[in-house]
Amino acid sequence: MKRNALPGKLALALALALTQACGLAAAADLQVTVTTASGRPAPDVVVMVVPAVASPAASPATASVTILQRDNRFEPYVTAIPAGTTVRFVNQDRYDHHVRSLGTGPMGAVPPAKSFELRLAGVQAGPAKASADVTFEAPGSVVLGCHIHGSMRGHLFISGTPWVAVTDEFGRATVSGMPDGAAELRLWHPDQLTGQATQALQLKGSASASATLSFNPQRRPRPRPKGEYD
Ligand SMILES: [Cu+2]
């Protein structure tokens, strides 16, 4: 009897360890579709998933991210990154631009997650003068602007979790590498005046979810005619 007790305990411990290992290894894609309050596809929405239990093993590596300045626009218009990511700003126009942080939220009253100001030379000056790297350590958001071209706007959202994505023109975003288990779906849009409702998820393998903004965002600003500042 006593001799069999130990293997039994070992088997139980092994089974538990396997279950935990599988739980950590499980990672899947979550496809989220976001619509406006009136039911239209909502582009430029940051979709963030926050697992109920933090799993350090499931945190994907942070990739570098590039934001372009082209034809007096920031491209992409909305960028979402996990905190700790370095963003490379690249001016592809033939004239100087600034990249300056502006306040966010209603009336720009919320200070930016990071305050900075760069001046990037035109593309012909070469990569050393036409680009610069900035690392964003703290979660939050930043409105991007330029002193010379006052209408230039971009938005940067810095997420506290690595599971973050931005919806495309069809209102769709895919959050990759999600661990199984309970999680919360959060939305953020640069035009929002109040926080958006959160949604509880129970993830197991690849899944899809839909969500709705509480308002109808304005259409994305149109670029100025090309060549106006050449
Ligand atoms: Cu500019």
Side-chain angles (χ1 to χ4, degrees):
M1 288 286 279
K2 231 176 181 183
R3 243 185 308 173
N4 291 338
L6 192 59
K9 273 183 185 168
L10 268 177
L12 184 64
L14 191 66
L16 275 173
L18 273 173
T19 308
Q20 283 169 352
C22 290
L24 286 176
D29 290 352
L30 176 69
Q31 187 168 51
V32 183
T33 305
V34 185
T35 48
T36 66
S38 58
R40 300 172 72 93
D44 302 325
V45 181
V46 174
V47 172
M48 187 179 23
V49 183
V50 184
V53 180
S55 170
S59 299
T62 303
S64 65
V65 169
T66 299
I67 297 176
L68 301 179
Q69 294 178 302
R70 187 159 57 191
D71 298 336
N72 289 335
R73 282 186 295 175
F74 286 96
E75 291 182 7
Y77 176 59
V78 176
T79 302
I81 55 171
T85 301
T86 297
V87 175
R88 173 156 294 184
F89 292 97
V90 179
N91 181 7
Q92 291 195 335
D93 284 328
R94 297 191 63 79
Y95 35 84
D96 288 16
H97 285 302
H98 295 93
V99 185
R100 62 186 291 242
S101 58
L102 300 166
T104 69
M107 309 296 285
V110 180
K114 178 166 188 158
S115 293
F116 64 99
E117 182 169 320
L118 311 166
R119 183 169 177 138
L120 300 179
V123 64
Q124 72 283 357
K129 290 181 177 172
S131 67
D133 293 347
V134 180
T135 301
F136 295 87
E137 300 87 0
S141 61
V142 179
V143 174
L144 304 170
C146 170
H147 284 297
I148 306 167
H149 310 104
S151 66
M152 277 181 82
R153 282 290 179 276
H155 299 271
L156 182 62
F157 183 90
I158 305 119
S159 162
T161 82
W163 298 285
V164 65
V166 180
T167 58
D168 62 15
E169 59 182 308
F170 306 107
R172 288 195 302 244
T174 301
V175 182
S176 298
M178 284 302 315
D180 283 350
E184 187 176 78
L185 177 66
R186 298 179 189 172
L187 303 179
W188 180 88
H189 187 283
D191 294 351
Q192 74 184 30
L193 296 176
T194 58
Q196 301 299 297
T198 62
Q199 190 178 135
L201 300 172
Q202 197 56 244
L203 298 170
K204 189 165 172 59
S206 289
S208 59
S210 55
T212 308
L213 292 174
S214 65
F215 65 106
N216 293 314
Q218 292 188 324
R219 297 189 76 119
R220 193 190 300 193
R222 302 302 304 164
R224 286 174 181 270
K226 192 174 180 180
E228 187 170 325
Y229 294 95
D230 282 358

